[in-house]
Amino acid sequence: MDERDLFLAELLRHEGRGDHISDACPGCPCLKSTPPRYRCQDCLDSQLYCGLCIVQNHLQLPTHRIEEWNGQFFERLSLKAMGLRIQLGHAIGESCILPRRAFNNDFVLIDANGIHEIGLDFCGCMTSQTHTKQLLRAGWFPSTSTNPRTAATFRVLHHYHILSFESKASAYEFYHSLVRLTDNTGLIRRKDRYESFMRMVREWRHLVMLKRSGRGHDPSGVAGTSEGQCAVLCPACPQPGKNLPHNWEDAPKAKGWLYSLFLAIDANFRLKRRAVSSDETDPSLSRGWAYFVEETSYKSYISDRAGDVQEKSTCSSHNAVNMAETKLSQGLAATGVGTVDCARHNMKRPNGVGDLQKGEKYLNMDYLFFSTLRHSTVDILNVSYDIACQWHKFLWSRMVSLPPSHHLNYLARTIRFFVPKFHLPAHAPERGWSNINPVASSTKAMGPGCRRDTLDDHFGDWNWKKVVGLGSLLLLKIKEAQIEKADHGAAFEEFDSVITSEHRFAWKAEMEAWEENPNDTTVANPLQPKGIAITQAGARLSLAQLEAEELKRGVDLSLHPDVSPSVLIASGIDLEEEQRRLKAIADGMGIHATDRQKLSILRMRMSLRRKIESWRQTQLLYVPSVQVLLATSATGSLNDTELMKLWLPSALNSNACDSRLQHIEWELHFAQAHDALEELRQCLRVYCSLLNFKREWIRGQGANTRAQNALTRIHTRQVACVKRYRTAWTALKSLAPILKKADWHGRLQDLSDDDVKPLIDPFASQGEGRRKLTWIWMMDGVDSGAAGGDVDGVRVEWCKSRARALRWSEEVDLLQEEMRRVLQFFNWQANWWEGQGVRRAAARDESLRAYASRQANIRRRLAAHFHSIWAPLMSPQDTLGNPAAALPLPDLTIPDMP
């Protein structure tokens, strides 16, 4: 701040001539030359020159901006006005015997520093090239091939290309920023070249895509491009012939999953397109060569099946399925896009993108799914889709209506369908679209072909950035996976060490039988307890069924289109549980928490606060009286999120509240109490069993430490169950007088610390004859499972612990296989590029070989870099004999897609 005057003075100094006040031009040999009055804004040299010198100095720099000193200040002047003429087709400074001026001597060149009028002469000699070729060889991209009057430098097109990827700036914004760089007053009227610039940008995108996919090296040329051939492939996904071992098909069944393909299907309804233009007026330049499917065949299939009635979803009333026909589409040619991605690495698949007309219809998603699978011959497919539960049911019967080229021999493959676990409750969208959504504002008004070409280009850049980032991504993943593998493996070993061999063998056999046939309903799921008890889930289902019956009778008490009264109260109870869980975590951190722990708690509080505020808006529809309570009570800081009052009906006392809501809360809390007791009993069974075994069989410090850690984890869950039950009990006591529940509690009682005891207490002071069971063991359903009831919880926990340890071990194996595939893919791709350099015999052999060699070099550098950072974490068989291991590590700066 103390140097502002200095900086300001130096900025103003550039408005005058500074130290360059002289009567002689420093570029002229004769001191009697014309006084210097001109300077260049873009040259490092701020010296003033005479007109002849300034023109001579810029024979190779025609887009530099010149200023003239008029005696009072500097004003802008073009090199064309000073007499500079650029001669194409000849060396700089060489004259042409038959120069031909640009059409009407009106030529505009767009560069990164502005829009320039250029005095341009084409070569008219007998051996001259066409005007288009002369411009292209000068590094200028013409807007048309007939009498071109506008061009853009390769430099500005490349600059905008990268800028559009990173900032999502539209061509309109970029062009008008150049207009302002040229003249920021608006006083100089120039012809608008925006449409020309748009056309050049689109053609540039298309040509660069063809160049990067090797189409210029193929003897068949651009016309020989096949569908999906210009897509950037995922090096980590299994691709036979490119990155799989030669005998991968003979891998044992136990390891076959290593060579499976993981796909994710999703839709984005922000990438709309208005009903402007048409495919006839604005066709795509690619015709399905990258990520979008070939439009003609796709639309033909959709129109032929337009009359088909789509089966309704029976799962969660998913709007994407049931409301597909009513999706708002007025004025829109496309309501969004559907995509098929590589699920593990989040890359767009070739021919896996297509427009949606009305919602997420099966017709669209089927075509995209089978279209992208034409590019894969992998035997095992894992397909993730947030509505897979409904979509896959009749998939193979719907496949028959697709073109024969899209048919899949599903009987010869292992295909599994999944709903992403995080989205099971509501089947919400699978992932965010934060990278591509900002493009929607500019693509929504484009014609169909321009929009598809633009999105194709953005998807290609996204894939390339993912490819370049695979080194750090897989390194981060495998480090995390190895830590989790060790932690869960140790936890299972601790658990397994206190289990008797009889149970261990029996439970392992159950797990293996179920894992071999997970879809066989005759094989019991060992991860589920065998006991039957009152559960919150069952109560919610019953309430939902009752509400459905009322709707049939014409009774609808819902005040919110998506949230019924039972869902409102159930959500509130869930929020209470989250508050308790968060408070337990915060209290357990103590006063010496690390910065990482504090950040984690802060994020959890912010997330919970947003959930509560969202839920509160719906609550006020059903219980307006809460507004008064909120107005008279302090909201509390973020640190008090876990202590916020939610004001469920049981906490309202005399305040007005619909009795229906009170009945719903009663039913849910009653079920919650039974739920908490059942889990508490399971915890006590596990704790007692482990404690007994530890006392009788465990010897040694290490073994005792492992057993004690297992006991601590069970105790933590036990404490949480006690708190949950006491919350439900308090609510029931509050609601009982209001709802006039006389003998409501039955066997439910106030839970004291003395009641929390195992069925058989190994440390009980009284003898067996005097021992009394606490009331929690005299509830209905505690003896379900007969003799196995005491070990049922232990069995479930053991099975879950074993499954976690195995899954993390498999994740490490899969990541190591993916790293091996990436290195092999780069090696294959480098060899492929080297082969492209000699495919086409022409006068430009050197340029073809140069580009192919540069592409091959980039792949080898990537492989060498990735191998250097992965080597300590890869298995020995993946590093031995790897060509990348022997390569030196050059500069690895890769600023953009090659």
Side-chain angles (χ1 to χ4, degrees):
M1 294 178 66
D2 295 337
E3 297 183 340
R4 283 181 294 188
D5 289 329
L6 168 65
F7 277 78
L8 183 58
E10 291 300 321
L11 288 177
L12 288 170
R13 181 182 176 84
H14 286 274
E15 295 296 323
R17 291 177 290 176
D19 296 330
H20 305 295
I21 301 175
S22 173
D23 293 331
C25 172
C28 294
C30 178
L31 297 179
K32 296 181 180 180
S33 63
T34 306
R37 293 185 296 137
Y38 305 95
R39 73 177 184 186
C40 178
Q41 279 186 296
D42 299 304
C43 289
L44 181 61
D45 180 13
S46 58
Q47 177 71 51
L48 270 65
Y49 294 89
C50 67
L52 291 176
C53 287
I54 204 78
V55 170
Q56 188 66 29
N57 292 344
H58 287 81
L59 290 176
Q60 302 180 45
L61 303 168
T63 60
H64 277 202
R65 295 165 295 177
I66 307 302
E67 292 180 323
E68 179 186 12
W69 179 255
N70 62 9
Q72 294 181 318
F73 57 87
F74 283 105
E75 58 182 347
R76 185 74 59 82
L77 186 68
S78 72
L79 283 166
K80 178 183 178 181
M82 296 184 67
L84 175 64
R85 298 202 66 81
I86 302 300
Q87 176 64 63
L88 298 183
H90 293 268
I92 299 297
E94 182 181 322
S95 300
C96 177
I97 58 174
L98 292 173
R100 295 185 178 178
R101 291 194 171 189
F103 188 78
N104 287 338
N105 195 25
D106 178 23
F107 192 88
V108 172
L109 182 63
I110 302 172
D111 201 3
N113 62 350
I115 302 171
H116 309 274
E117 294 183 356
I118 300 292
L120 182 67
D121 292 331
F122 291 102
C123 174
C125 300
M126 295 293 294
T127 58
S128 65
Q129 303 287 345
T130 64
H131 291 185
T132 300
K133 268 192 178 181
Q134 291 182 47
L135 288 169
L136 289 172
R137 290 189 176 181
W140 297 356
F141 197 97
S143 66
T144 178
S145 57
T146 305
N147 291 328
R149 287 178 290 172
T150 306
T153 63
F154 288 4
R155 175 173 54 249
V156 72
L157 291 174
H158 180 70
H159 179 71
Y160 171 67
H161 202 190
I162 299 300
L163 184 67
S164 68
F165 292 147
E166 292 302 315
S167 72
K168 304 301 185 288
S170 68
Y172 180 88
E173 294 165 337
F174 183 79
Y175 176 81
H176 283 86
S177 70
L178 297 179
V179 171
R180 294 187 62 184
L181 280 175
T182 307
D183 172 42
N184 203 23
T185 65
L187 297 176
I188 301 176
R189 307 302 297 177
R190 287 189 172 88
K191 292 182 179 179
D192 188 4
R193 295 300 206 275
Y194 168 64
E195 289 189 4
S196 298
F197 182 69
M198 279 284 292
R199 183 165 58 251
M200 289 184 285
V201 165
R202 181 178 174 190
E203 293 172 357
W204 175 266
R205 289 184 188 272
H206 178 69
L207 290 170
V208 169
M209 178 189 73
L210 294 172
K211 175 185 174 184
R212 290 168 176 169
S213 57
R215 298 313 307 158
H217 293 71
D218 195 306
S220 63
V222 175
T225 309
S226 57
E227 292 185 26
Q229 195 170 359
C230 295
V232 177
L233 302 179
C234 174
C237 283
Q239 300 184 37
K242 298 180 178 68
N243 62 5
L244 290 184
H246 67 278
N247 59 343
W248 69 273
E249 294 172 307
D250 301 326
K253 186 177 181 181
K255 288 293 184 181
W257 54 270
L258 282 174
Y259 310 115
S260 59
L261 179 63
F262 292 82
L263 299 178
I265 304 176
D266 201 8
N268 184 341
F269 295 106
R270 291 193 63 180
L271 292 176
K272 300 177 175 66
R273 188 182 77 81
R274 294 172 183 165
V276 295
S277 191
S278 65
D279 284 298
E280 291 74 20
T281 304
D282 180 33
S284 171
L285 299 177
S286 295
R287 302 198 300 273
W289 292 345
Y291 306 95
F292 270 87
V293 292
E294 199 282 314
E295 193 70 9
T296 304
S297 302
Y298 177 54
K299 284 190 174 179
S300 175
Y301 170 75
I302 296 299
S303 61
D304 290 344
R305 313 293 298 183
D308 291 0
V309 178
Q310 179 167 297
E311 62 267 19
K312 294 296 182 181
S313 171
T314 58
C315 182
S316 300
S317 188
H318 197 286
N319 286 344
V321 178
N322 289 347
M323 301 188 69
E325 294 293 344
T326 59
K327 193 76 177 178
L328 181 62
S329 58
Q330 185 177 2
L332 297 176
T335 58
V337 297
T339 66
V340 182
D341 292 2
C342 143
R344 285 186 60 84
H345 316 105
N346 195 17
M347 296 191 197
K348 292 291 179 288
R349 294 269 306 169
N351 296 134
V353 182
D355 285 334
L356 304 177
Q357 290 73 44
K358 286 190 176 182
E360 205 167 339
K361 297 183 71 173
Y362 292 163
L363 283 177
N364 302 81
M365 309 313 287
D366 291 349
Y367 193 95
L368 301 181
F369 175 68
F370 289 109
S371 179
T372 192
L373 283 181
R374 292 180 300 163
H375 303 284
S376 176
T377 58
V378 176
D379 293 335
I380 302 177
L381 299 176
N382 299 302
V383 184
S384 169
Y385 191 13
D386 54 3
I387 55 172
C389 54
Q390 292 293 128
W391 171 74
H392 88 284
K393 285 184 177 180
F394 305 103
L395 179 62
W396 308 124
S397 60
R398 296 197 303 269
M399 181 185 72
V400 178
S401 65
L402 287 160
S405 60
H406 288 60
H407 288 187
L408 179 69
N409 185 8
Y410 60 93
L411 296 176
R413 297 187 180 187
T414 301
I415 304 177
R416 303 185 184 94
F417 298 94
F418 303 92
V419 172
K421 186 175 181 181
F422 180 74
H423 305 294
L424 276 173
H427 287 199
E430 187 159 334
R431 59 163 57 85
W433 288 77
S434 58
N435 175 71
I436 197 66
N437 278 342
V439 184
S441 59
S442 56
T443 58
K444 66 183 178 182
M446 291 181 179
C450 182
R451 172 175 169 274
R452 289 196 295 274
D453 291 345
T454 302
L455 291 178
D456 261 345
D457 198 39
H458 279 272
F459 291 146
D461 177 70
W462 172 256
N463 277 15
W464 174 250
K465 287 194 292 186
K466 285 288 185 179
V467 169
V468 175
L470 277 175
S472 56
L473 174 67
L474 295 185
L475 180 64
L476 180 66
K477 280 189 172 184
I478 198 167
K479 284 183 176 179
E480 177 190 10
Q482 288 185 336
I483 293 173
E484 295 293 343
K485 175 186 176 181
D487 290 347
H488 287 282
F492 176 67
E493 286 180 4
E494 292 176 8
F495 205 162
D496 190 58
S497 64
V498 297
I499 302 298
T500 63
S501 58
E502 179 184 358
H503 282 143
R504 185 182 300 114
F505 292 139
W507 297 345
K508 184 178 180 182
E510 288 182 26
M511 279 293 291
E512 289 176 347
W514 181 73
E515 288 171 345
E516 284 290 326
N517 302 285
N519 297 321
D520 189 350
T521 57
T522 62
V523 179
N525 183 355
L527 298 175
Q528 293 180 346
K530 298 176 181 177
I532 301 175
I534 300 174
T535 63
Q536 282 182 276
R540 294 183 186 186
L541 176 60
S542 300
L543 289 169
Q545 291 172 340
L546 289 174
E547 290 171 353
E549 291 295 327
E550 290 175 345
L551 285 174
K552 287 182 179 179
R553 298 196 303 268
V555 180
D556 185 6
L557 301 179
S558 298
L559 300 178
H560 192 280
D562 296 324
V563 182
S564 65
S566 65
V567 172
L568 172 73
I569 302 301
S571 300
I573 293 174
D574 289 343
L575 289 173
E576 282 187 335
E577 178 63 19
E578 286 196 47
Q579 286 180 309
R580 286 193 295 272
R581 192 181 304 117
L582 178 57
K583 187 176 186 305
I585 295 174
D587 293 344
M589 287 172 52
I591 60 174
H592 301 294
T594 64
D595 290 343
R596 184 184 295 273
Q597 289 174 320
K598 291 178 181 178
L599 178 60
S600 176
I601 284 293
L602 178 61
R603 288 175 175 172
M604 293 170 67
R605 281 175 172 153
M606 292 172 64
S607 174
L608 180 56
R609 176 64 70 100
R610 286 193 294 268
K611 290 181 183 178
I612 292 175
E613 290 173 353
S614 176
W615 175 82
R616 184 80 74 193
Q617 295 176 3
T618 308
Q619 182 192 27
L620 293 176
L621 294 176
Y622 289 94
V623 192
S625 59
V626 170
Q627 184 67 55
V628 179
L629 297 173
L630 294 175
T632 57
S633 62
T635 305
S637 65
L638 183 62
N639 292 336
D640 296 327
T641 300
E642 58 267 32
L643 303 177
M644 287 179 64
K645 289 276 289 183
L646 298 185
W647 299 111
L648 290 171
S650 59
L652 294 178
N653 298 324
S654 59
N655 290 278
C657 180
D658 188 351
S659 61
R660 179 178 176 81
L661 296 177
Q662 294 170 334
H663 278 287
I664 289 173
E665 187 183 6
W666 171 274
E667 294 294 334
L668 290 174
H669 274 308
F670 194 76
Q672 185 186 38
H674 284 83
D675 232 2
L677 285 177
E678 176 59 22
E679 187 173 350
L680 175 60
R681 288 192 292 265
Q682 296 284 12
C683 288
L684 290 172
R685 287 168 180 162
V686 175
Y687 192 92
C688 182
S689 175
L690 296 181
L691 193 60
N692 251 333
F693 193 83
K694 176 179 179 293
R695 185 178 62 175
E696 294 180 11
W697 299 101
I698 299 299
R699 298 293 182 270
Q701 181 176 351
N704 271 284
T705 300
R706 290 193 296 269
Q708 189 58 46
N709 288 341
L711 288 169
T712 302
R713 288 194 293 271
I714 298 299
H715 180 71
T716 302
R717 289 185 56 184
Q718 174 184 314
V719 172
C721 294
V722 170
K723 291 181 179 179
R724 186 160 65 249
Y725 175 83
R726 287 173 177 168
T727 299
W729 171 260
T730 303
L732 290 172
K733 283 202 305 182
S734 176
L735 290 171
I738 300 174
L739 300 177
K740 298 179 180 179
K741 299 283 186 178
D743 188 20
W744 59 271
H745 49 75
R747 294 186 178 274
L748 293 179
Q749 300 179 30
D750 192 4
L751 184 65
S752 66
D753 292 340
D754 291 336
D755 295 326
V756 185
K757 292 181 179 179
L759 188 62
I760 302 175
D761 189 354
F763 296 103
S765 57
Q766 72 272 32
E768 184 65 24
R770 295 180 180 271
R771 190 175 64 87
K772 293 182 180 179
L773 293 176
T774 62
W775 66 268
I776 65 173
W777 295 103
M778 293 184 286
M779 301 288 294
D780 295 335
V782 295
D783 59 344
S784 61
D790 291 338
V791 297
D792 194 36
V794 183
R795 175 186 58 79
V796 171
E797 293 302 322
W798 182 89
C799 292
K800 289 181 179 179
S801 180
R802 175 182 177 273
R804 284 191 293 268
L806 289 176
R807 297 297 84 77
W808 279 112
S809 178
E810 291 169 357
E811 177 69 8
V812 171
D813 292 344
L814 184 54
L815 285 169
Q816 289 180 338
E817 165 62 17
E818 287 178 339
M819 291 190 294
R820 186 204 62 76
R821 288 202 291 252
V822 170
L823 298 180
Q824 184 175 339
F825 182 86
F826 284 148
N827 187 53
W828 168 86
Q829 203 170 43
N831 292 335
W832 182 87
W833 268 114
E834 288 172 349
Q836 298 305 301
V838 295
R839 290 190 66 190
R840 201 166 188 171
R844 43 191 175 142
D845 276 350
E846 180 181 311
S847 59
L848 295 176
R849 288 195 301 270
Y851 184 73
S853 297
R854 182 162 71 91
Q855 294 296 319
N857 177 257
I858 288 174
R859 271 64 180 188
R860 297 199 188 280
R861 288 161 57 198
L862 283 171
H865 175 55
F866 288 4
H867 183 267
S868 69
I869 62 176
W870 290 347
L873 301 171
M874 295 180 68
S875 57
Q877 60 268 28
D878 291 339
T879 57
L880 292 177
N882 180 19
L887 292 178
L889 294 180
D891 176 27
L892 297 167
T893 303
I894 303 176
D896 61 283
M897 189 173 177

